[in-house]
Every structure is written in structure tokens, then in C-alpha cells.
Amino acid sequence: MKKVFVLEDLCCANCGAKIEEAVGKLEGVSECSVTFLTQKMTLEMEEDKLDSIREQVKKIVKKIEPDVEVIEK
């Protein structure tokens, strides 16, 4: 399953890379890509783990970049 999240107010590409690396290691995520210019994160993941992954993504983003809002598309 492919899912896109908007990382509103992402301030730098380095933070995007950190988020991409951390989220990519989550169980159930097979691929993670963060594009700084569009402020979008695209995940390829197991559909049955969507709720768990969504919550973990929000925690990771808040830890790395507290001012970023995660918006599900």
C-alpha cells in the first residue's frame, strides 16, 4: 500500500533525511522517501499496519522536528 503524508513546515533537507531513515526502519514499512522541496513523505507499507505506522511516524517527526505538522493525504 502506498501512502503520502505532507510534512508541513519542514525546515531543512537534513531533517527530512533523518525522518526518512527512521521511518524506513519501522516494521511494516518497505520503502520511505522524503522530498524536501515538496514537503512530502511517501511510504510503501503493509496495509494492516496503517494505524500503528501512522502513530509512529507522528512520534518520529515530532522528536526530530517538533514544529512540523504531519498531514495525511
Side-chain angles (χ1 to χ4, degrees):
M1 162 184 196
K2 188 175 185 178
K3 195 74 180 159
V4 177
F5 295 89
V6 175
L7 303 176
E8 193 170 273
D9 297 329
L10 183 63
C11 71
C12 69
N14 186 44
C15 292
K18 290 179 184 178
I19 292 168
E20 179 178 281
E21 182 179 349
V23 172
K25 293 178 181 177
L26 292 176
E27 184 179 335
V29 175
S30 58
E31 189 177 328
C32 176
S33 174
V34 174
T35 306
F36 173 65
L37 290 176
T38 61
Q39 297 190 341
K40 289 183 182 174
M41 176 172 58
T42 305
L43 299 180
E44 194 65 47
M45 66 176 135
E46 296 175 23
E47 191 169 348
D48 61 332
K49 297 187 178 185
L50 174 61
D51 292 335
S52 171
I53 291 170
R54 180 188 301 122
E55 292 309 310
Q56 291 177 72
V57 163
K58 289 179 181 181
K59 287 178 185 176
I60 289 169
V61 171
K62 287 296 176 195
K63 183 177 179 183
I64 295 171
E65 192 60 63
D67 295 331
V68 171
E69 186 176 346
V70 178
I71 302 167
E72 194 171 343
K73 283 197 102 179

